[in-house]
Amino acid sequence: MPWKTLDDMELADKVVLVRVDINVPVENGVVTDTTRINRIVPTIKDILEKGGKPVLLAHFGRPGGTPNPDMSLKVVLPALRAALGVPVHFAENCVGGPAKIAVSKLESGEVLLLENTRFHAGETKNEPMFAASIAALGEVYCNDAFSAAHRAHASTEGIARLLPSCAGRAMQAELSALEAALSDPKRPLMAVVGGAKVSSKLDLLGNLVSRVDHLVIGGGMANTFLAAQGINVGTSLAEHEMADTARDILAKAAHAGCNILLPLDIVVAAEFKANAEHKTLPVAECPEDMMILDAGPETVEKISTVMAGCRTLIWNGPLGAFELTPFDAATVAAAQKAAELTQAGTLISVAGGGDTVAALNQAGVADQFTYISTAGGAFLEWMEGKTLPGVAALMT
Ligand code: 3PG
Ligand code: MG
């Protein structure tokens, strides 16, 4: 790997500034999903074991550069303490007096969490002065926040240029899984891309058609492609103004030898609603007054057959309106097939981005994939072939 890891760093008695992503969902003051917190545990334990003192830098929400008690990181303390099983202290500010005092009081075996870095405008602006003031708190920088690495912020990018820096364990795991899936994959390689809009995933589709052998397009964006090919999609969610773009992507795929899989059959209903009255039809037969809410069983069969011949799968986005039963059927069935092939040892499966993890959890297979990324925007930008500033800064 072109970047250093914790194994390369001398940490004994050193204050290690660790950028983590604990931007977790909270309801009524309680963390409702601890996945991101659990992922950073190995890094913090390794630092403690090597005699280092972990000081955590993190953002929470988007407070826009001013302190906001509703976006205080205090709310994650109970979950963080439970996951780590060691004392976790808190400083009310990530720079200045409170931070310096808390760092100086930190004993070996303990962890310190600093308040939301985004309470300072210098964070998102990546101001050198602000980066220098957080860097001054420690001696080593460790970035374990892949899911924030698409942001060139002071705590993800600027600081890495000021201190000896390395990737944490979660960052390492994330980068190796992503490299195995897209940079240096075992072929054939299939990508599944779903979700509502082609317009938000143009760069993604454009990059994938030149890299993958099979591209499954699902969800609302499949409708845009169907419509662009002259197929009536009724009242379906579709971006008709994107027809030329969709046709360009199909042409690019044909040129690159990428096999595009669009729905062969569809599940349609008159309303966008759970348990709406529905029927399954061939793709060309969507009634004028109905909308496509899922791919049908013939499509799932086709995806499964092609997937069975693949060695690597990268998945982003659901195939239908998975949040409404029973329109999650295609997503669930395809995800179960991927899990089965992964467990049988013939497929490397990597998934991530936005709704994807929720969809795979719903299918009950999230723990049967090779790797599930907790990243939203960063996973997408990485799949688009973009350089992530937080990762790039670790290489300098
Ligand atoms: C996320 O939740 O996607 C990351 O923590 C990044 O947050 P952001 O989109 O507010 O930068
Ligand atoms: Mg985001």
Side-chain angles (χ1 to χ4, degrees), residues 62 150-151 376-377:
R62 293 176 179 169
H150 57 317
R151 308 292 182 206

Side-chain angles (χ1 to χ4, degrees), residues 21 23 36 59 62 118 147 150-151 375-378:
D21 187 353
N23 192 25
R36 282 181 169 174
H59 74 281
R62 293 176 179 169
R118 290 188 185 172
S147 43
H150 57 317
R151 308 292 182 206

Side-chain angles (χ1 to χ4, degrees), residues 18-350:
V18 193
R19 179 53 159 100
V20 292
D21 187 353
I22 45 177
N23 192 25
V24 290
V26 168
E27 268 167 44
N28 303 320
V30 180
V31 174
T32 54
D33 179 355
T34 57
T35 310
R36 282 181 169 174
I37 293 178
N38 301 336
R39 294 273 177 110
I40 60 167
V41 171
T43 295
I44 296 168
K45 293 221 155 135
D46 279 5
I47 294 170
L48 289 171
E49 240 160 62
K50 295 184 90 181
K53 295 179 176 175
V55 173
L56 311 185
L57 295 165
H59 74 281
F60 189 61
R62 293 176 179 169
T66 44
N68 177 339
D70 292 338
M71 293 180 210
S72 169
L73 271 169
K74 258 187 216 156
V75 71
V76 307
L77 278 172
L80 196 54
R81 288 182 177 131
L84 288 169
V86 300
V88 181
H89 302 284
F90 183 75
E92 309 271 346
N93 194 341
C94 68
V95 287
K100 283 183 203 154
I101 293 167
V103 171
S104 70
K105 283 189 184 158
L106 196 61
E107 304 271 0
S108 110
E110 300 178 343
V111 174
L112 170 64
L113 171 66
L114 303 177
E115 181 60 289
N116 199 340
T117 51
R118 290 188 185 172
F119 284 181
H120 298 267
E123 164 69 339
T124 52
K125 290 187 187 144
N126 199 3
E127 274 170 12
M129 287 281 281
F130 180 72
S133 51
I134 42 177
L137 295 169
E139 295 153 282
V140 173
Y141 173 69
C142 171
N143 190 345
D144 211 26
F146 175 82
S147 43
H150 57 317
R151 308 292 182 206
H153 293 174
S155 70
T156 59
E157 205 273 350
I159 189 174
R161 305 184 179 279
L162 302 174
L163 289 175
S165 301
C166 70
R169 301 303 185 202
M171 174 73 93
Q172 259 181 280
E174 192 83 46
L175 293 173
S176 17
L178 297 187
E179 297 234 312
L182 202 52
S183 310
D184 187 20
K186 292 200 172 79
R187 289 183 184 271
L189 166 62
M190 172 187 271
V192 172
V193 179
K197 289 186 170 174
V198 172
S199 52
S200 64
K201 293 196 179 172
L202 266 185
D203 290 350
L204 175 63
L205 295 168
N207 184 41
L208 289 180
V209 291
S210 63
R211 288 179 173 240
V212 309
D213 305 299
H214 303 279
L215 175 60
V216 176
I217 302 176
M221 39 173 136
N223 304 337
T224 301
F225 279 88
L226 295 173
Q229 291 175 300
I231 296 171
N232 173 35
V233 296
T235 61
S236 301
L237 171 73
E239 294 168 284
H240 295 282
E241 70 287 1
M242 298 293 291
D244 284 341
T245 309
R247 284 189 292 265
D248 284 349
I249 291 172
L250 293 175
K252 195 175 166 196
H255 182 74
C258 169
N259 172 36
I260 302 267
L261 287 98
L262 280 162
L264 302 170
D265 56 344
I266 49 180
V267 181
V268 300
E271 295 169 282
F272 186 82
K273 183 172 110 189
N275 301 308
E277 199 181 315
H278 57 276
K279 53 189 170 186
T280 302
L281 296 170
V283 69
E285 292 176 22
C286 182
E288 225 35 89
D289 57 350
M290 295 187 107
M291 63 183 84
I292 304 170
L293 291 180
D294 200 9
E298 198 189 328
T299 309
V300 173
E301 190 58 43
K302 175 75 182 172
I303 295 172
S304 300
T305 307
V306 177
M307 196 189 282
C310 288
R311 292 294 160 264
T312 308
L313 168 70
I314 183 154
W315 185 315
N316 172 264
L319 296 178
F322 85 102
E323 67 278 24
L324 309 176
T325 35
F327 308 110
D328 59 346
T331 304
V332 169
Q336 284 170 344
K337 184 69 187 178
E340 179 195 314
L341 295 167
T342 306
Q343 294 303 308
T346 65
L347 187 71
I348 294 170
S349 52
V350 175

